[in-house]
């Protein structure tokens, strides 16, 4: 019950009781109205003064000779009694008294209820839950299917990880790099070279996945030219490779990163599923920011190693970039 309700009930009761007493006094002083007051009798003309001569009954004799029946005397009209009127004043006063009595009774009931039950205790405000000190759950490590270490040429099942990546979480790293020419294989006449592109994602728990793209060329020289098309090299297609942990080794040193592993390559022939080439390259890649991080990102620089061969990253901030979470 609201604490202000008893006060309001006392105010209403205090106002209703004097009004009820006033109405009772009014009812006691109002006389009952039985009917209308009788009307005053009609004025009777005074008797005529006595004549000086004897009464002359000749005219009456002529009007009513002896033997004529006497005329009945005209009946005196009685005043009609006024109909009883409804005592409007008493009715209105009675209704007012009943209303005031009802108000007084309700106020009394409210007071009694308030005293008997008392005001219920106010509900305590809901306490705010304490801030959770438990760390946010780490993102779920994706299930990365393993890659065969030495697949046969034409073997199917390649490319299952081509569109996959690892969530960075609060302390992960992602990077992409484009490199200059790298010699993949020395031939009797010339060399097979590639111009690699690498992307890698490393989660906060160390799970990592790397993708390598190798556009290959056959060149007559012994090194990889800067412009294979201008040097007269022949394109031989593009090879791809995907390698997850634990086959992919990951080493972190601050914001710098090094990944290494044996990458089996596959091709994507037109109209057929990806198939392994049977070639495996033991690659190692280093990545580091080339400038201070801004909002966790910066241009990247790095080097790709294949045996004794190496290729430097291209100084293009759009092609070579690193991102550090956290």
């Amino acid at each position: 019950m609201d604490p202000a309700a008893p006060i309001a009930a006392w105010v209403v009761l205090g106002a209703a009781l004097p009004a009820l007493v006033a109405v009772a006094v009014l009812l006691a002083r109002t006389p009952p109205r039985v009917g209308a007051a009788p009307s005053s009798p009609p004025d009777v003309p005074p008797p005529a003064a006595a004549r000086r001569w004897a009464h002359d009954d000749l005219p009456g004799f002529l009007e009513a000779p002896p033997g004529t029946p006497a005329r009945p005397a005209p009946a005196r009209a009685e005043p009609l009694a006024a109909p009883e009127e409804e005592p409007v004043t008493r009715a209105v006063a009675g209704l007012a008294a009943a209303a005031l009595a009802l108000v007084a009774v309700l106020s009394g009931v409210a007071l009694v209820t308030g005293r008997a039950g008392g005001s219920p205790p106010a509900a305590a405000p809901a306490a705010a839950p304490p801030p959770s000190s438990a760390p946010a759950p780490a993102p779920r490590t994706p299930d990365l299917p393993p890659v065969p270490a030495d697949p046969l040429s034409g073997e199917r099942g390649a490319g299952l990880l081509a569109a996959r990546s690892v969530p960075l979480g609060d302390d992960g790293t992602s990077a992409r790099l484009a490199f200059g020419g790298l010699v993949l294989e020395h031939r009797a006449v010339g060399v097979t070279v590639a111009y690699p592109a690498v992307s890698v994602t490393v989660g906060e728990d160390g799970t990592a996945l790397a993708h390598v793209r190798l556009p290959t060329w056959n060149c007559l020289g012994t090194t990889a030219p800067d412009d294979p098309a201008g040097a007269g090299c022949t394109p031989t297609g593009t090879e791809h490779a995907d390698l997850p942990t634990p086959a992919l080794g990951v080493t972190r040193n601050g914001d710098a990163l090094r990944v290494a592993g044996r990458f089996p390559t596959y091709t994507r022939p037109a109209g057929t599923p990806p198939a392994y080439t049977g070639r495996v390259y033991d690659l190692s890649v280093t990545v580091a920011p080339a400038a201070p991080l801004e909002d966790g990102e910066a241009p990247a620089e790095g080097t790709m190693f294949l045996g004794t061969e190496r290729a430097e990253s291209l100084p293009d901030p759009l092609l070579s970039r690193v991102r550090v979470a956290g």
Side-chain angles (χ1 to χ4, degrees), residues 114-125:
R115 289 180 178 179
S119 300

Side-chain angles (χ1 to χ4, degrees), residues 264-316:
T265 64
Y266 61 90
T267 58
R268 296 172 176 169
T272 60
Y276 286 106
T277 62
R279 291 183 288 272
V280 179
Y281 298 105
D282 193 353
L283 301 174
S284 176
V285 179
T286 61
V287 184
L293 296 175
E294 294 184 5
D295 297 330
E297 295 189 13
E301 61 184 5
T303 305
M304 175 177 282
F305 299 91
L306 175 61
T308 59
E309 303 293 337
R310 60 185 294 167
E312 301 295 331
S313 61
L314 300 178
D316 188 335

Side-chain angles (χ1 to χ4, degrees), residues 168 172-176 255 288-300 317-318 320-326:
L168 303 184
T173 302
S174 66
R176 64 178 183 270
D255 295 333
L293 296 175
E294 294 184 5
D295 297 330
E297 295 189 13
L318 298 179
S320 301
R321 198 159 187 85
V322 63
R323 177 191 174 196
V324 179

Side-chain angles (χ1 to χ4, degrees), residues 129-136:
S132 176
S133 58

Side-chain angles (χ1 to χ4, degrees), residues 84-194:
E84 282 195 14
E85 298 180 357
E86 181 71 17
V88 178
T89 304
R90 294 178 63 87
V92 172
L95 291 177
L100 292 175
L102 180 59
V103 171
V105 170
L106 293 178
S107 301
V109 171
L111 287 175
V112 172
T113 305
R115 289 180 178 179
S119 300
S132 176
S133 58
R140 181 177 178 272
T141 303
D143 296 328
L144 303 177
V147 173
D150 294 291
L152 299 176
S153 177
E155 185 177 338
R156 302 299 181 181
L160 298 179
L161 298 172
R164 302 286 297 275
S165 63
V166 173
L168 303 184
D170 296 330
D171 191 29
T173 302
S174 66
R176 64 178 183 270
L177 292 169
F179 296 91
L182 176 69
V183 176
L184 297 179
E185 183 180 354
H186 289 272
R187 298 179 178 273
V189 180
V191 291
T192 299
V193 301

